[in-house]
């Protein structure tokens, strides 16, 4: 089978050779859904290749974290889903002989470089939309194992979806080639279906009530309205008294619901563009149990994010490595906690309100919202009915006594107009003595406490210069 991303084949082969030559490898990965799937893919590939390794996670790869990684007794360090942006610091350790770095990342590289560096941006492939960290890890796994790695394509798709790399509801670019390998391997199915979150696990009324993708008056955020809508359909939507899930419906039943939902949306003035968003490409993991969070790429990525936001990367990794039982139970409990905290966080933002300025809008949660979920809450707030979507939103959360976490979220429409939040976060944070980065539509930073206003001013200037 040909390489999934031919542009990266030479770099992937070089990185694979470096790993084979290592006495032992420390796998260091980012701790979000993309980072966890990256680690899962890389760890599985190393294990299959007979390469001894350990795994560590980090929320933010700064100089202190890199020094801690260097203190481990491994001659080679494989960085997944981060490392490119920290190459200046990594290169210093390499020059001192602390370790040989191998990097599989998709973030903007720093000025320094290293011999074993797998990053789509270095070969003209868009790392923000076309290949995630998990995708880069998958390309490396294929170089290590050839066709024996194709079953890992499903995890790579979970990582890409979790990294918000879908465009108009579906993956694009190199991610498509990886998904096709997953389909060919029999571990993944792609289909056009209702593009709402929770099709595997949410009872139908909750699926429609909580759907934030498209606001349908009388159904979205309306429990009784959603139930009345479903009760009015000529479909048996109950199973022994309980509501069925979308996953349990057959093709004809789904068609009936979608048709009625589209008619209701159009009748209530929902725009044609929004109505088409109701249907998109879904990514189903065929080896996972139907009706569970792991069956759907979007729900799987949310489960992993829940473990990451509460510093339980070990749990998320165990699930990615195929462990079920206790690890999956723990992940589900973390997800329940995560959802409760998100709901409380969003309610707080709605109650306190968002400060709207010319080029951005912002809120400061202080210690009322965990700094690890401020970005998710900001994204949810941006999609809320009473928050403007014509400018990015910035959320602040207390990180410690000296630092504040900053998270920014935009929309695809703003990105199409020139918005690049990775640049905004990097430039604005560095102007006040902090550091940051990320992607065009979602990025983060850490800044000194007390510098929030100066940060906002710098961010607003950068946004104004970007957006047409």
């Amino acid at each position: 089978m040909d390489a999934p991303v031919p542009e990266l084949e030479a770099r992937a082969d070089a990185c694979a050779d470096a790993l084979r030559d290592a006495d032992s490898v420390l796998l260091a990965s980012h701790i979000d859904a993309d980072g966890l799937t990256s680690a899962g893919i890389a760890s599985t590939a190393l294990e299959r290749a007979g390469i001894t390794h350990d795994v560590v996670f980090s929320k933010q790869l700064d100089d202190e974290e890199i020094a801690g990684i260097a203190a481990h007794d491994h001659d080679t360090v494989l960085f997944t889903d981060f490392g490119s942006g920290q190459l200046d610091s990594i290169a210093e350790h390499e020059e001192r002989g602390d370790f040989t770095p191998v990097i599989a990342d998709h973030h903007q590289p720093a000025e320094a470089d290293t011999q074993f560096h797998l990053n789509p941006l270095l070969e003209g492939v868009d790392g923000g939309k076309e290949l995630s960290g998990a995708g880069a890890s998958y390309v490396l796994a294929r170089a290590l194992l050839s066709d024996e790695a194709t079953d890992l394509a499903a995890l790579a798709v979970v990582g890409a979806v979790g990294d918000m790399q879908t465009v108009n509801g579906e993956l694009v670019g190199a991610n498509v080639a990886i998904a096709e390998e997953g389909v060919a391997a029999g571990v993944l199915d792609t289909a056009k279906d209702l593009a709402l979150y929770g099709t595997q696990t949410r009872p139908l009324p909750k699926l429609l009530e909580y759907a934030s993708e498209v606001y349908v008056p009388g159904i979205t955020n309306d429990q009784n309205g959603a139930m009345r809508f479903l009760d009015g359909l000529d479909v048996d939507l109950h199973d022994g008294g309980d509501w069925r899930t979308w996953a349990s419906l057959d093709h004809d039943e789904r068609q009936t619901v979608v048709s009625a939902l589209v008619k209701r949306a159009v009748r209530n003035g929902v725009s044609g563009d929004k109505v088409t968003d109701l249907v998109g490409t879904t990514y189903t993991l065929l080896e996972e149990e139907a009706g569970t969070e792991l069956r759907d790429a979007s729900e799987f990525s949310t489960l992993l994010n829940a473990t990451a936001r509460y510093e339980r990367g070990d749990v998320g990794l165990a699930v990615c490595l195929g462990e079920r039982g206790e690890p999956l139970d723990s992940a589900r409990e973390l997800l329940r906690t995560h959802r409760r905290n998100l709901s409380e966080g969003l309610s707080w933002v709605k109650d306190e309100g968002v400060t709207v300025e010319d080029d951005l809008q912002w809120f400061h949660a202080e210690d009322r919202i965990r700094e690890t979920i401020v970005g998710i809450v900001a994204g949810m707030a941006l999609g809320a009915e009473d928050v403007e979507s014509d400018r990015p939103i910035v959320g602040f959360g207390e990180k410690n006594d000296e630092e504040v976490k900053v998270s920014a979220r935009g929309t695809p429409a703003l990105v199409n107009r020139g918005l690049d939040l990775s640049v905004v976060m990097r430039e604005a944070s560095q102007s006040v003595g902090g550091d940051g980065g990320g992607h065009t539509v979602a990025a983060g930073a850490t800044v000194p406490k007390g510098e929030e206003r100066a940060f906002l001013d710098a961010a607003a200037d950068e946004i104004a210069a970007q957006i047409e």
Side-chain angles (χ1 to χ4, degrees), residues 1 36 50 82 84 225 246 275 297 305 319 349 386 389 423 434:
M1 189 180 289
L36 288 165
F82 57 17
S84 293
W246 184 260
V275 170
N305 257 325
V319 173
V349 172
D386 51 353
S389 61
V423 175

Side-chain angles (χ1 to χ4, degrees), residues 26 28-29 56-74 76-80 82-103 105 110 112 435:
L26 179 64
S29 194
V56 295
F57 290 102
S58 176
K59 285 193 296 182
Q60 185 172 340
L61 192 63
D62 54 22
D63 291 346
E64 184 178 348
E65 287 286 316
I66 295 169
I69 287 169
H72 285 76
D73 188 23
H74 295 78
T76 300
V77 178
L78 170 58
F79 294 92
T80 58
F82 57 17
S84 293
Q86 298 77 26
L87 264 170
D88 293 336
S89 178
I90 290 171
E92 292 178 7
H93 287 279
E94 182 180 18
E95 290 170 5
R96 290 200 293 265
D98 294 340
F99 57 77
T100 297
V102 178
I103 296 172
D105 192 11
D435 196 20

Side-chain angles (χ1 to χ4, degrees), residues 37 47 54 56 70 94 158 222 261 280 310 345 353 431 434 441 447:
T37 48
E47 180 72 23
D54 294 313
V56 295
E94 182 180 18
V158 173
D222 186 339
L261 190 60
Y310 301 91
S431 74
V441 75
V447 301

